Amino acid sequence: QLEPVYHEAFPSFEGISVLVFRPGSVAVNASLVFGDHAPGPTPCQVLWTLYRKVKAARQMLGNLSLAENSLASDGSTLTDLALETVSIRFTAMQPFLSQFLVPGSAAFALLEERTLRQVTPVVSGFYKVHPQEGPLLLFSNADQWVDVYIEYKFQDPVPTHLRGLANHLAWNVLDPTLQKSSILANGEKAQLVLYEVWLKILGRPFTKALKDKTSTESQELHPLLTPQLTTVLRHLQNLVQVVVEEFQPDPLTARVAATFFRAAPAEALVQDCVRQGLHTLWEAEGLSVEMVIPDLG
C-alpha cells in the first residue's frame, strides 16, 4: 500500500521495509530507502505525502484504516507539519454531486482545477511565497452545496498565526460561486456583516423541489433573483455578495443574505433599498415580490 504512494511522489524512492509491529491496534514502524542520485525528501515531506494520501481517502490507505494523529516521520509529527500548512474552508454555491467524493473523477478534477486556479494565487500573494504543488483538496456535502477544504503546504514554516487571510480571500477571490460569508482560513472567519431579507414571491406556488438545490425548479429561480437583487444593492458601500439561501413554503418565500465588508450600511437602509428596487424584478423577470418580516415565533 505504501510503495506506490512514495514511488509517485519521489523519483529517488527505492523501497520500504517494515521493521516492527507493536501493540495498540497495530502500530507500524517502517524504513523508507531513497537513492543518492537525487536529494532525498525531508521528514516533513515524507510525512506530508502520507498524510495527504490518507486524508484524501478519509483515513484509509487502500483497505487499511489509519489513525491520522498517529502519523510521524523521523521525529516529525503533525504538530511540526502544521507549521508548514495553511488550511482553508468555504462553501461553493453549486449543487453537490456524489462524484465530488471521488478524487480522480471527471467532476472532481474539473472543480479542483477551477478552485485552485482561483484560490492559489491569492494565498501566494498573501504570504509572498508559493506553496508546494499538490495541495490537499477535499469536497463534501454542505446542505446540497459543496463544502471545499484545502490544505496548502509550504517548504518552510509560514506565519499561520498571521491574521487577515480570510479577509484577503474574501476581497480577492472572484469566483461568484464562492460563498464569502463561509470562508474560514487558519481558524479565522472573514470579517463580514450579513443582513437577512425575506421576500414573498406572489403568484408562484411552493413545490418540494425548491427545497432541493439540485432541482430544475431551484436552479431556475435562483438566477432570477440573485442578479436583480445584486443590481438593486450594488450602489451601497462595501457590498460583497447577495445569496439566495433557501426557499420556504406557504406562501413561497425566499431567504436572502446580503453580505457587506465592514463598515456596512445600516440594516434599515439595506431593507429600504430592496423594498424600493423590487419593481425591477417584475420588469426584468416578471416576478411579483414583496418584502416581509418573518414570524420568528
Side-chain angles (χ1 to χ4, degrees), residues 136-276:
L136 170 66
L137 185 65
L138 298 173
F139 301 126
S140 57
N141 191 338
D143 192 20
Q144 302 175 5
W145 278 338
V146 182
D147 179 80
V148 180
Y149 178 79
I150 310 173
E151 280 188 25
Y152 288 100
K153 183 182 181 301
F154 293 80
Q155 291 283 12
D156 299 303
V158 290
T160 54
H161 63 279
L162 183 65
R163 299 183 66 82
L165 177 58
N167 281 343
H168 188 71
L169 290 164
W171 274 103
N172 293 285
V173 177
L174 303 179
D175 185 346
T177 68
L178 190 156
Q179 188 177 20
K180 299 199 174 187
S181 62
S182 69
I183 295 174
L184 189 67
N186 297 333
E188 179 191 9
K189 293 278 288 181
Q191 294 180 335
L192 304 171
V193 176
L194 274 71
Y195 295 132
E196 283 192 348
V197 178
W198 295 76
L199 302 176
K200 182 166 63 176
I201 303 172
L202 306 175
R204 187 159 183 157
F206 177 85
T207 64
K208 288 185 178 179
L210 289 173
K211 284 287 189 182
D212 180 0
K213 293 185 173 78
T214 66
S215 70
T216 301
E217 292 90 335
S218 182
Q219 293 189 56
E220 286 177 350
L221 192 51
H222 273 86
L224 296 182
L225 290 168
T226 306
Q228 297 303 323
L229 291 171
T230 302
T231 299
V232 166
L233 296 175
R234 182 171 289 147
H235 70 283
L236 293 179
Q237 184 180 16
N238 289 335
L239 176 69
V240 177
Q241 195 173 47
V242 176
V243 176
V244 179
E245 298 277 7
E246 65 173 337
F247 297 107
Q248 294 193 359
D250 302 326
L252 173 58
T253 304
R255 181 169 66 88
V256 179
T259 308
F260 295 83
F261 289 114
R262 301 180 185 269
E267 183 174 15
L269 176 59
V270 174
Q271 292 178 341
D272 190 52
C273 288
V274 171
R275 189 180 293 108
Q276 293 183 30

